[in-house]
Amino acid sequence: IDKHSIALVTLDNQKIGGYEQMAIFASALKEDAHLMRTPEDWEELQKSVCDKDYIFIDTPGINVFNTAQVTALKKRLETIGLQNATVHLVLPASLNPLEMAAMPAALAALHPSTILFTKFDETTYLGGLTNVAITSGLKVCYITDGTAVPDDIVELDASMLAEKLMRKPRLPWEREA
């Protein structure tokens, strides 16, 4: 995010290397990474991030088909006062289209308002991505189109999507025409 200060916070203290991965992203963005284990951590953390323009909070991966896990995540966010935060649903563009289509409904309790598709460069089959964007009614805000942070995080526009949709799908070992 150009010309804005940001804070990167992760709630993921379950996955091995979760915080370390966030720290790598923060370093690439020339920012600090923060780990929040408990609601009490949030109270202390707010003092160091209160001057930031944006605070991005990474949540732990959950099984979206397990309603208890979705409910627990929602309660965790509410406990730290984030029930009114803007929620971005992050989905890999290469995800199975049927499962991708189920994600917005499975996570409806979190009230996502936008979708961010990762791995846009790793698929040529965009039917699932297009369908979930249309049927969910959620705005697609950004995509990741490579692994370079922050350069490959780009705002998706209609011409970029149209260009990719017009290409013939191909398998990874096939040469692009």
Side-chain angles (χ1 to χ4, degrees):
I1 297 184
D2 294 329
K3 301 180 185 172
H4 294 286
S5 61
I6 65 170
L8 296 174
V9 178
T10 185
L11 303 179
D12 191 353
N13 61 348
Q14 299 165 350
K15 180 177 69 178
I16 295 173
Y19 171 74
E20 290 75 13
Q21 185 176 21
M22 177 66 71
I24 291 168
F25 282 112
S27 176
L29 296 169
K30 297 179 177 44
E31 297 288 349
D32 294 324
H34 306 276
L35 174 61
M36 184 172 50
R37 291 184 176 93
T38 67
E40 292 76 28
D41 291 345
W42 178 242
E43 292 172 20
E44 187 62 33
L45 183 61
Q46 281 184 308
K47 296 173 190 170
S48 63
V49 301
C50 66
D51 62 331
K52 301 294 184 179
D53 296 320
Y54 296 98
I55 301 171
F56 292 94
I57 300 179
D58 172 54
T59 59
I62 60 170
N63 177 351
V64 299
F65 300 108
N66 181 325
T67 55
Q69 288 183 17
V70 174
T71 301
L73 178 58
K74 180 180 179 189
K75 284 182 182 175
R76 188 170 181 197
L77 294 171
E78 289 171 349
T79 300
I80 56 178
L82 296 178
Q83 61 270 20
N84 294 320
T86 301
V87 176
H88 303 280
L89 178 57
V90 179
L91 298 173
S94 58
L95 185 64
N96 172 308
L98 295 175
E99 290 177 346
M100 187 187 302
M103 294 296 163
L107 294 166
L110 300 175
H111 307 291
S113 58
T114 61
I115 302 175
L116 187 155
F117 287 107
T118 63
K119 302 183 179 189
F120 195 74
D121 58 316
E122 294 182 22
T123 186
T124 57
Y125 294 91
L126 299 177
L129 177 152
T130 305
N131 286 339
V132 77
I134 292 169
T135 60
S136 71
L138 300 175
K139 180 182 176 200
V140 178
C141 56
Y142 291 94
I143 60 164
T144 62
D145 198 25
T147 58
V149 175
D151 297 334
D152 288 336
I153 302 171
V154 296
E155 196 166 357
L156 181 65
D157 62 29
S159 63
M160 179 190 304
L161 182 57
E163 177 189 328
K164 188 116 176 184
L165 284 169
M166 295 303 293
R167 291 184 194 159
K168 179 184 174 199
R170 63 181 174 81
L171 297 171
W173 55 85
E174 296 176 330
R175 292 190 172 207
E176 195 167 349

